[in-house]
Amino acid sequence: RFNLSEINELFRSRRTIYPEQFTERKVHREQIEVILNNAQWAPTHGNTQPWRFKVFTEGGLQKLSEFLGNAYMKLTPTESQNDMKLAKLVSRPLKSSVVIAVCMERQPEEKILEIEEVEAVACAIQNMHLSCTSYGLGGFWSTPKLIYTQEMNEFLSLNEKDKCLGLFYIGYPAIEWPSAHRKPLEYTTEW
């Protein structure tokens, strides 16, 4: 049905590209919509479709940056605070064209195990990353500890049992597309 060679190449070309490696070129809304629509085709037990997306662009990036900096300072004990970590949290949204907070909305009746809802959202993120790769866009799935806090839920207007599962940064890469490798199958598979 599909060109398997091209699909294999897409899977094997997916890379993390950090916001520090993005250009200032803007990603179009239409591209973001395609990326999010593709995310929604991830597998989901019971068809609960637990993913929720909060998209930050333009002025929203500044608000996200300020929230992340303030939350880090508030939630991290003084002796554990790291200036480099704080600088990255604050600067990364401002270096990105788009940041998407990818969240899980917990089903009120909790029919499906929470871990399965988390797994569905993780699959949605993989679809987002593959879609970015097909566009030639850089993507970075970030999971700083503070995304799992009540403060983050309040910032994103999430319910108590919902969770933010990552910040997905998108931009055009200023670098050459990175190469990588994986272990041979015999190291990771038993028959």
Side-chain angles (χ1 to χ4, degrees):
R1 268 184 82 178
F2 301 96
N3 183 323
L4 188 56
S5 296
E6 287 183 10
I7 291 171
N8 286 340
E9 186 63 28
L10 172 64
F11 290 160
R12 294 169 188 177
S13 296
R14 188 216 50 80
R15 297 287 176 275
T16 293
I17 299 178
Y18 300 96
E20 294 81 5
Q21 300 166 318
F22 293 166
T23 68
E24 292 182 12
R25 183 177 170 193
K26 297 295 177 203
V27 176
H28 295 286
R29 182 183 175 111
E30 295 77 20
Q31 292 171 296
I32 299 165
E33 289 174 355
V34 168
I35 290 165
L36 293 175
N37 271 307
N38 288 345
Q40 296 192 123
W41 286 95
T44 165
H45 187 180
N47 200 25
T48 58
Q49 302 180 40
W51 38 77
R52 296 296 179 271
F53 308 106
K54 309 283 184 166
V55 181
F56 295 88
T57 60
E58 307 296 332
L61 295 168
Q62 181 65 44
K63 289 178 188 167
L64 177 62
S65 169
E66 290 170 9
F67 167 78
L68 292 173
N70 292 335
Y72 178 81
M73 295 301 288
K74 176 184 173 187
L75 298 169
T76 308
T78 308
E79 64 277 5
S80 300
Q81 290 178 4
N82 178 303
D83 290 342
M84 283 182 54
K85 192 172 279 193
L86 174 62
K88 279 184 183 179
L89 277 172
V90 171
S91 68
R92 282 181 164 167
L94 305 177
K95 293 178 178 179
S96 303
S97 181
V98 183
V99 180
I100 302 169
V102 186
C103 308
M104 178 206 69
E105 182 179 86
R106 190 70 176 116
Q107 189 185 35
E109 55 275 12
E110 299 185 17
K111 181 182 128 194
I112 304 298
L113 293 173
E114 182 182 64
I115 185 65
E116 294 182 10
E117 302 285 60
V118 169
E119 291 162 346
V121 175
C123 289
I125 293 170
Q126 173 73 344
N127 283 4
M128 292 168 65
H129 217 152
L130 291 170
S131 297
C132 285
T133 301
S134 70
Y135 273 127
L137 296 170
F140 169 50
W141 177 12
S142 175
T143 56
K145 290 178 188 175
L146 65 85
I147 67 169
Y148 306 115
T149 64
Q150 184 60 38
E151 287 80 358
M152 188 69 168
N153 274 26
E154 289 170 10
F155 177 72
L156 296 173
S157 301
L158 300 177
N159 294 318
E160 184 183 350
K161 292 192 175 183
D162 300 346
K163 290 182 174 17
C164 177
L165 297 180
L167 298 173
F168 195 81
Y169 296 81
I170 302 173
Y172 281 93
I175 61 167
E176 200 162 308
W177 203 264
S179 60
H181 68 280
R182 292 291 188 265
K183 294 177 184 175
L185 204 56
E186 54 267 18
Y187 288 92
T188 60
T189 307
E190 291 182 21
W191 295 88

